[in-house]
Amino acid sequence: MELNFEVTGGSGRPLIILHGLFGAGRNWRSFARGLVAGGRRIYLIDQRNHGNSAWHDSMSYHEMAGDLADFMETHRIGKADLLGHSMGGKVAMRLVLQEPQLCMRLIVLDIAPVPYPNRFDNLLEAMLALPVERCRTRTEADQQLAHNVPNTELRQFLLQNLQVSGSGYRWCLNLPVLREHMDEIHDFPEPAEGVCFSRPALFLRGMDSDYVLPEHRSEIIQLFPQAEILGVPDAGHWLHSEQPEAVLNRVLHFLNAAGERR
């Protein structure tokens, strides 16, 4: 699986950032700029069926974690810190539980290692119904999508996935495959009994979000016994966009403190 990526920063210890569902690596450029102090090398990856990465008929976490392991081997990244948001957080968790030797520190944003109810069928249907190939401008696409997605910020996030194609646009998301595997994306594969990641881990949750709840703490600690679980005030599921400075400060503090504990 060929993954598109961007790299920024110096030649210091690597950090790989994994976007969530409907996202792409480019969404994290601004956040990455705040992390390059000290020469850290940042990789922004497009996961399969997203951005400019290859499309595939499946979307299992085992396979997406395998994509990441292959990427690290191809680019000779021996070990890295991992940061994942939502779906990307589940990919990162799956990788460190499968191959803990690949990760030094784990950061998970607003997701827990548990199954969730399907929340996005309405968004998928709205995007699939939009005749993007006949839209002449992004404004036209926005106006049409607004009928089914009234939230402006969410709509603008989704429309970042439009790419010019001929006289219209195309989605750089494999929407039919995402729809087919949406239940699998919302799930989390149960690891083998006794498996855990015993290195430093940080779980940040938006305090206005319902993705990481108090009852999830036991599942997190069982699999990640060194985990810190912290809340970010005035932030929902997209906490890194809503409170970027607070999230960045938490991430930097964790990475620096975890580095000292190595």
Side-chain angles (χ1 to χ4, degrees):
M1 176 59 58
E2 187 120 359
L3 298 182
N4 182 66
F5 72 100
E6 300 177 15
V7 62
T8 187
S11 58
R13 69 178 191 247
L15 170 69
I16 298 173
I17 297 180
L18 300 167
H19 63 79
L21 183 65
F22 306 135
R26 63 179 177 273
N27 301 144
W28 290 82
R29 288 170 181 164
S30 176
F31 192 85
R33 285 195 290 271
L35 292 170
V36 297
R40 188 179 284 110
R41 190 167 181 83
I42 313 290
Y43 293 86
L44 307 177
I45 291 177
D46 292 345
Q47 300 196 73
R48 62 168 60 194
N49 297 316
H50 288 73
N52 291 315
S53 283
W55 286 12
H56 198 277
D57 289 339
S58 59
M59 282 291 292
S60 76
Y61 283 110
H62 174 75
E63 290 167 311
M64 288 190 281
D67 294 344
L68 180 55
D70 290 344
F71 175 87
M72 294 176 70
E73 181 179 2
T74 298
H75 296 279
R76 299 178 181 176
I77 304 170
K79 286 184 179 180
D81 299 331
L82 299 181
L83 184 156
H85 170 245
S86 198
M87 181 188 78
K90 286 190 171 184
V91 173
M93 287 188 281
R94 177 68 182 184
L95 178 67
V96 303
L97 292 171
Q98 287 179 195
E99 302 190 59
Q101 75 280 2
L102 295 179
C103 181
M104 296 180 285
R105 308 162 193 81
L106 174 68
I107 303 164
V108 177
L109 302 188
D110 211 58
I111 202 75
V114 299
Y116 288 86
N118 192 329
R119 300 174 181 231
F120 295 119
D121 276 350
N122 59 329
L123 295 182
L124 278 165
E125 296 305 326
M127 286 187 283
L128 283 162
L130 184 66
V132 292
E133 69 282 354
R134 297 201 299 270
C135 291
R136 296 296 174 257
T137 66
R138 289 179 179 271
T139 299
E140 181 183 348
D142 179 60
Q143 291 170 345
Q144 292 194 38
L145 190 60
H147 295 300
N148 293 312
V149 185
N151 183 292
T152 301
E153 291 183 358
L154 176 57
R155 202 167 61 248
Q156 292 302 312
F157 169 69
L158 297 175
L159 290 171
Q160 290 182 67
N161 291 293
L162 284 183
Q163 293 181 341
V164 175
S165 177
S167 58
Y169 293 88
R170 62 177 288 273
W171 291 109
C172 62
L173 297 166
N174 191 346
L175 293 174
V177 166
L178 295 181
R179 177 172 60 180
E180 181 181 354
H181 293 279
M182 193 53 58
D183 288 341
E184 196 170 11
I185 292 168
H186 281 82
D187 199 4
F188 187 76
E190 187 172 342
E193 186 175 354
V195 169
C196 70
F197 177 73
S198 57
R199 293 193 179 124
L202 173 66
F203 284 71
L204 289 181
R205 65 180 186 90
M207 292 180 69
D208 296 335
S209 170
D210 61 355
Y211 275 77
V212 182
L213 300 173
E215 55 264 34
H216 296 151
R217 180 179 179 83
S218 60
E219 283 94 341
I220 293 171
I221 297 300
Q222 180 179 351
L223 295 176
F224 307 95
Q226 286 202 49
E228 293 181 82
I229 307 170
L230 302 175
V232 178
D234 301 316
H237 185 54
W238 282 274
L239 64 170
H240 55 288
S241 294
E242 297 165 24
Q243 296 294 337
E245 186 174 349
V247 174
L248 182 63
N249 288 338
R250 291 283 194 184
V251 168
L252 284 171
H253 177 78
F254 168 75
L255 289 174
N256 293 333
E260 293 169 2
R261 294 199 300 268
R262 283 185 64 198

